[in-house]
């Protein structure tokens, strides 16, 4: 059996006995033991005490569709949300759903991904109950070329949401990482399907580190930070609702005017605006320059020795020179 029904019945402040769990779920004690072992493999820390039962080391802030919906306000009409306990990748699943006709505004969120995807073919590791992982399908009556600034626009929506929830110090790193001084807070993976001249189905995958155990931090090959570190007080349900509200605003604006109206605001949040950086090229070489801004298409503009050069995301990677 899946470990999730068992996990959802455990608390951090009180023990629940194996007998209670078996009875509530109508399964054997042996099934409960196996489910608890699987839960531990998902990274959940469970304390077991003889004669008392089991309790969580830390409470899990579960995602609940109805709670997210209750925080969406008037933006509720744009979205149709499904929360999964476990899925391969919310992006992969939503791409399949889009092929099968899922409507614009469909959201898949997951507590755990077995094959989370990051940019440039990398794996994305999330922590059960600690990372917010979701994907949003948005359909555009625009051509593929018109969507080049989309990934920056999505980053802006994320930063707006974090600011409105009182998180201070979250910034953007071109093209669309969410960062703070201490490291990466989250990332965005956009996958597009459609015709050159439109329409296009965009799957916007977002992963944000809300809280993270020391073990998971250590297992990630770059400095990471969490929204808890930056003072987030909201639950993941409130955070998801706020992100979706800001996304609805930004995506509706983008559909009408593209990235240009959002450009200056984006630059104001860019971690490296006006600073020296180097661009790591696909062949391993580096190009040095100072960030002067981004273009209407979302390209990064660098003042280099030989003048202003523009870089498009995809193969290049930005590194701070500081
Ligand atoms: C990055 O490499 O920075 C992008 C990470 C994007 C991760 C999110 S988690 C939800 C969605 N589903 C995935 O498989 N990936 C994205």
């Amino acid at each position: 059996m899946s470990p999730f029904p068992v996990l959802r019945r455990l608390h951090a402040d009180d023990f629940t006995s194996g007998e209670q769990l078996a009875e509530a779920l109508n399964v054997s004690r042996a099934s409960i033991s196996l489910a608890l072992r699987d839960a531990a493999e998902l990274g959940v820390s469970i304390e077991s005490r003889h004669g008392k039962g089991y309790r969580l080391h830390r409470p899990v802030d579960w995602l609940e569709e109805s709670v997210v919906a209750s925080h969406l306000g008037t933006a509720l009409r744009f979205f149709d949300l499904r929360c999964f306990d476990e899925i391969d990748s919310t992006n992969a699943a939503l791409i399949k759903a889009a092929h099968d006709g899922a409507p614009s505004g469909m959201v898949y969120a997951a507590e755990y991904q077995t094959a989370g995807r990051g940019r440039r073919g990398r794996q994305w590791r999330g922590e059960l109950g600690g990372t917010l992982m979701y994907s949003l399908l948005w359909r555009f009556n625009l051509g593929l070329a018109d969507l080049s600034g989309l990934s920056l626009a999505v980053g802006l929506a994320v930063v707006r949401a974090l600011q409105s929830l009182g998180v201070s110090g979250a910034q953007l790193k071109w093209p669309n990482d969410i960062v703070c001084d201490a490291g990466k807070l989250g990332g965005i993976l956009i996958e597009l399907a459609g015709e050159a001249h439109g329409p296009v189905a965009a799957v916007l995958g977002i992963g944000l580190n809300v809280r993270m155990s020391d073990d998971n931090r250590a297992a990630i090959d770059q400095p990471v930070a969490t929204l808890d570190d930056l003072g987030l007080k909201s639950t993941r349900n409130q955070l998801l609702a706020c992100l979706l509200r800001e996304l609805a605003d930004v995506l509706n604006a983008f559909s009408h005017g593209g990235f240009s109206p959002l450009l200056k605001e984006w630059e104001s949040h860019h971690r490296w605006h006006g600073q020296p950086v180097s661009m790591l090229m696909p062949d391993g070489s580096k190009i040095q320059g100072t960030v002067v801004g981004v273009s209407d298409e979302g390209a990064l503009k660098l003042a280099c020795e030989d003048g202003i050069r523009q870089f498009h995301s995809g193969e290049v990677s930005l590194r701070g020179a500081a």
Side-chain angles (χ1 to χ4, degrees):
M1 72 181 278
S2 156
F4 284 91
V6 177
L7 276 175
R8 283 177 186 270
R9 281 178 169 73
L10 296 184
H11 309 279
D13 48 3
D14 205 4
F15 285 92
T16 310
S17 73
E19 290 73 27
Q20 279 173 311
L21 292 167
E23 201 179 308
L25 294 165
N26 203 16
V27 295
S28 66
R29 276 287 286 109
S31 305
I32 297 294
S33 301
L34 287 174
L36 286 164
R37 194 199 58 195
D38 291 347
E41 275 169 22
L42 296 179
V44 187
S45 170
I46 298 167
E47 181 186 346
S48 102
R49 196 167 300 168
H50 191 69
K52 288 191 134 190
Y54 308 91
R55 75 174 172 191
L56 296 171
H57 180 65
R58 218 168 48 172
V60 178
D61 166 24
W62 296 103
L63 291 171
E64 304 282 352
E65 288 165 11
S66 59
V67 180
V68 177
S70 73
H71 289 286
L72 278 172
T74 55
L76 180 62
R77 69 186 190 282
F78 293 117
F79 300 108
D80 185 357
L81 169 67
R82 288 194 59 191
C83 293
F84 297 85
D85 281 336
E86 185 173 308
I87 201 165
D88 52 353
S89 146
T90 54
N91 261 41
L94 198 49
I95 289 167
K96 279 193 211 117
H99 281 301
D100 295 341
S104 192
M106 178 66 88
V107 181
Y108 281 3
E111 298 292 0
Y112 191 75
Q113 295 187 129
T114 52
R117 300 182 187 176
R119 287 177 57 228
R120 289 199 285 272
R122 295 171 74 162
Q123 187 196 5
W124 172 267
R125 288 170 64 101
E127 179 168 311
L128 198 157
T131 315
L132 178 62
M133 296 170 274
Y134 72 100
S135 302
L136 164 63
L137 170 64
W138 206 259
R139 295 186 182 275
F140 291 92
N141 279 322
L142 297 170
L144 283 169
D146 301 319
L147 296 179
S148 49
L150 178 65
S151 69
L152 279 74
V154 172
L156 179 61
V158 174
V159 166
R160 280 187 186 174
L162 297 180
Q163 274 193 336
S164 79
L165 293 174
V167 171
S168 62
Q171 290 184 299
L172 292 161
K173 177 187 168 208
W174 182 87
N176 59 9
D177 276 355
I178 316 298
V179 299
C180 65
D181 287 343
K184 182 161 165 167
L185 290 163
I188 298 169
L189 174 68
I190 299 194
E191 300 187 76
L192 302 174
E195 306 299 321
H197 299 291
V200 173
V203 170
L204 319 173
I206 298 178
L208 284 172
N209 304 325
V210 180
R211 57 193 68 88
M212 195 180 277
S213 68
D214 292 343
D215 283 355
N216 274 337
R217 280 183 205 238
I220 296 176
D221 61 355
Q222 60 177 313
V224 288
T226 69
L227 298 177
D228 264 11
D229 300 340
L230 299 187
L232 179 76
K233 295 284 177 281
S234 315
T235 63
R236 289 191 309 147
N237 290 308
Q238 290 165 327
L239 173 62
L240 177 53
C242 184
L243 286 158
L244 292 175
R245 286 200 309 267
E246 296 295 346
L247 279 162
D249 271 2
V250 162
L251 295 171
N252 286 323
F254 186 93
S255 291
H256 292 108
F259 179 59
S260 319
L262 307 168
L263 187 154
K264 284 288 163 217
E265 187 184 347
W266 191 95
E267 287 179 347
S268 74
H269 294 294
H270 190 207
R271 166 82 176 78
W272 297 105
H273 192 67
Q275 298 190 47
V277 298
S278 60
M279 297 301 278
L280 187 60
M281 305 305 285
D283 64 1
S285 65
K286 282 186 183 166
I287 296 176
Q288 320 274 346
T290 299
V291 176
V292 291
V294 288
S295 74
D296 289 341
E297 290 75 40
L300 186 76
K301 295 198 285 190
L302 279 197
C304 302
E305 270 180 358
D306 52 352
I308 304 283
R309 293 180 64 167
Q310 295 204 6
F311 297 86
H312 293 269
S313 63
E315 292 307 310
V316 293
S317 177
L318 185 158
R319 303 286 153 92

